[in-house]
C-alpha cells in the first residue's frame, strides 16, 4: 500500500509542477511579447530610442530566464529565440522600420508557439 501512496503523491507533484511550469512560461512569454510589440510600434512611429529600449528589455528578460528555459525548453528553441532577438535588435540599430516590424512579428509568433507547445492537453498526456 505504501508504494501506491508514494506513486500517487509523485504523480500529483509532477502534475502540480507541470501546471506551475505552464503558468510561469505563459506569463514570461506574455511579458516579452508585450515588450516586442511595443518595440515594433515605436519603430513604426520613428521613436528609435523607445524601440531600442523595449527590445533590449525583452531580450534581457529572456536572457535572465536562462537557468529556467534551459531546463524546460528544447535547446533548439532557445537558440532560435536568441537568433530572433539579435535579428530584431540588428534592424532596430539600423533604423529599418519594415524589417523591425517583420522581426517583431517573428519573435512574437515564436514565443507564442513555445508557450502553446508547453500547454497541458489530453493529447500531450496520452
Amino acid at each position: 500500500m505504501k508504494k501506491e501512496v508514494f506513486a500517487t503523491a509523485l504523480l500529483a507533484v509532477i502534475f502540480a509542477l507541470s501546471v506551475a511550469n505552464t503558468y510561469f512560461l505563459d506569463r514570461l512569454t506574455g511579458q516579452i511579447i508585450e515588450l516586442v510589440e511595443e518595440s515594433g510600434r515605436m519603430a513604426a512611429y520613428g521613436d528609435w530610442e523607445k524601440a531600442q529600449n523595449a527590445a533590449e528589455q525583452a531580450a534581457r528578460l529572456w536572457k535572465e530566464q536562462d537557468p529556467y528555459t534551459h531546463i524546460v525548453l528544447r535547446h533548439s528553441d532557445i537558440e532560435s529565440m536568441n537568433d530572433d532577438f539579435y535579428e530584431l535588435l540588428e534592424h532596430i540599430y539600423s533604423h529599418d522600420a519594415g524589417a523591425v516590424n517583420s522581426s517583431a512579428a517573428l519573435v512574437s509568433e515564436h514565443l507564442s508557439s513555445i508557450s502553446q507547445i508547453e500547454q497541458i492537453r489530453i493529447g500531450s498526456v496520452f
Side-chain angles (χ1 to χ4, degrees):
M1 181 68 176
K2 289 181 184 178
K3 290 180 183 178
E4 290 84 5
V5 170
F6 179 74
T8 303
L10 185 59
L11 285 173
V13 168
I14 290 171
F15 179 74
L17 289 173
S18 295
V19 170
N21 175 56
T22 300
Y23 174 75
F24 181 78
L25 189 61
D26 190 49
R27 280 190 48 224
L28 174 64
T29 56
Q31 290 172 341
I32 295 172
I33 288 170
E34 285 179 22
L35 289 167
V36 168
E37 288 175 349
E38 178 185 345
S39 177
R41 282 191 305 275
M42 293 300 107
Y45 293 137
D47 192 341
W48 294 106
E49 184 177 340
K50 287 183 182 177
Q52 179 179 337
N53 289 339
E56 287 175 347
Q57 186 178 357
R60 190 176 322 109
L61 184 57
W62 173 255
K63 192 70 173 162
E64 287 172 354
Q65 297 305 318
D66 269 357
Y68 167 73
T69 58
H70 279 75
I71 293 171
V72 300
L73 298 177
R74 295 179 307 196
H75 291 299
S76 60
D77 285 336
I78 296 167
E79 291 171 4
S80 180
M81 277 306 311
N82 289 338
D83 292 343
D84 292 347
F85 275 117
Y86 286 122
E87 183 179 330
L88 173 63
L89 289 168
E90 175 186 356
H91 295 309
I92 289 173
Y93 296 150
S94 64
H95 296 191
D96 186 349
V100 169
N101 190 29
S102 65
S103 290
L106 175 67
V107 170
S108 295
E109 182 58 35
H110 198 168
L111 286 166
S112 293
S113 175
I114 288 172
S115 180
Q116 288 175 351
I117 288 170
E118 293 298 315
Q119 296 294 318
I120 299 172
R121 292 182 296 276
I122 297 295
S124 65
V125 175
F126 296 105

